Amino acid sequence: MVQFRFLGILMAVAMRTKKPLDLHLAPWVWKQLCSMPLGGADLEEVDLLTYRNLQGILHLENSEITEDNFHVMIPLDSFMAHSADGRLVPVVPGGQNISLTFGNRTEYVERALEYRLHEMDSQVAAVREGMSTIIPLPLVSLLTAQQLEQLVCGLPEVSVEMLKKLVRYRDITESHQLICWLWQSLEEFTNEERVLFLRFVSGRSRLPSNLTDIPQKFQIIKVDRVRRSQPGDEAFLGKFLINE
């Protein structure tokens, strides 16, 4: 829980400093962080097999499963379900002692869905607690899940058009043949390769959702030859040297 709280602090710092984190969280986690309600579609998005199994137990109208053969056709005999980490757990207190029948299958599906959607509530609460040390939580609740994810993680795609907005030219013009070759090469890169280029010239692996939040552009400098940095030289981070 301490680590989840620390994650919340990091996320809030990313929002404050406009320096995104490369995080990959399930969509419903962002919804929970914004205090948005969850539903079956959220489970379907991250665990399609479990969702379909639950729907299969619930909707038997067009199947050959009846009350008489329910226990033969459904491989469950109690209020148990698999958790996110694969453990078989009771979906209600004492669920291992409650028999699953044709008549109470609706209640079982509701309880199982409720369990899966909220089994990480305590971890999400710890993340929100960490965020609250830096930013007011009521403001987070005003955001949509997509808006919060963009504020914390920035933009996953790094396009050439975005990079062109972040560059300054020194001793060379935008129309120079070398510059045209550079952008043409970057167009042929995969997104992962453009992310590596962005990291090389700026130290970032993500761009903020608003490019104006980047205070310093990287430079493209034309030099006659590439030389080793000398004592007193400026750091080369943020500069891309082109040798003509």
Side-chain angles (χ1 to χ4, degrees):
M1 287 302 170
V2 172
Q3 292 177 339
F4 280 112
R5 187 177 183 276
F6 181 65
L7 174 61
I9 295 174
L10 288 180
M11 292 167 71
V13 169
M15 295 173 66
R16 282 287 195 187
T17 61
K18 307 295 192 298
K19 295 183 178 179
L21 300 174
D22 188 8
L23 286 178
H24 302 273
L25 303 179
W28 85 33
V29 175
W30 297 109
K31 293 181 71 172
Q32 283 188 295
L33 290 173
C34 293
S35 300
M36 299 174 64
L38 303 178
D42 297 300
L43 178 61
E44 182 180 15
E45 193 170 9
V46 299
D47 193 344
L48 181 60
L49 181 60
T50 295
Y51 178 78
R52 286 183 174 176
N53 286 340
L54 292 175
Q55 293 303 302
I57 295 173
L58 181 62
H59 300 291
L60 303 177
E61 297 83 6
N62 298 322
S63 70
E64 298 180 355
I65 302 176
T66 65
E67 187 171 2
D68 295 331
N69 64 7
F70 181 80
H71 286 295
V72 176
M73 303 298 291
I74 301 297
L76 288 170
D77 56 7
S78 61
F79 274 45
M80 303 283 286
H82 286 96
S83 63
D85 60 3
R87 294 179 297 111
L88 195 61
V89 297
V91 296
V92 294
Q96 67 275 14
N97 301 318
I98 302 175
S99 297
L100 172 60
T101 65
F102 184 88
N104 66 10
R105 71 184 192 281
T106 299
E107 180 186 0
Y108 168 78
V109 170
E110 291 174 352
R111 296 289 189 175
L113 182 61
E114 184 77 7
Y115 172 82
R116 284 303 311 272
L117 290 177
H118 296 283
E119 63 179 320
M120 294 181 291
D121 280 1
S122 57
Q123 288 87 347
V124 171
V127 174
R128 281 175 58 86
E129 182 185 350
M131 295 176 70
S132 70
T133 62
I134 296 177
I135 57 177
L137 284 183
L139 294 182
V140 176
S141 299
L142 295 176
L143 302 172
T144 66
Q146 292 78 13
Q147 289 171 335
L148 178 60
E149 183 177 8
Q150 278 200 354
L151 286 174
V152 174
C153 300
L155 302 173
E157 297 291 326
V158 177
S159 69
V160 172
E161 290 304 314
M162 291 178 182
L163 291 174
K164 287 181 178 180
K165 295 177 181 178
L166 301 174
V167 67
R168 285 196 301 122
Y169 300 102
R170 180 172 155 188
D171 300 328
I172 195 169
T173 63
E174 184 178 3
S175 59
H176 196 287
Q177 184 62 59
L178 288 174
I179 299 299
C180 295
W181 285 339
L182 172 65
W183 295 130
Q184 181 180 346
S185 298
L186 286 169
E187 287 280 7
E188 298 173 359
F189 279 17
T190 64
N191 185 64
E192 289 73 19
E193 290 169 333
R194 283 194 291 270
V195 168
L196 292 176
F197 174 81
L198 177 65
R199 186 182 299 170
F200 174 71
V201 298
S202 69
R204 294 171 175 265
S205 58
R206 289 284 185 112
L207 290 173
S209 54
N210 187 352
L211 295 184
T212 60
D213 289 330
I214 297 181
Q216 182 179 6
K217 295 182 177 182
F218 73 90
Q219 298 181 58
I220 295 180
I221 307 172
K222 182 174 74 69
V223 294
D224 294 331
R225 60 187 179 86
V226 177
R227 64 183 180 85
R228 294 181 180 274
S229 59
Q230 302 296 325
D233 283 353
E234 292 182 343
F236 278 84
L237 182 63
K239 298 179 175 62
F240 188 75
L241 306 180
I242 289 184
N243 189 24
E244 186 174 30

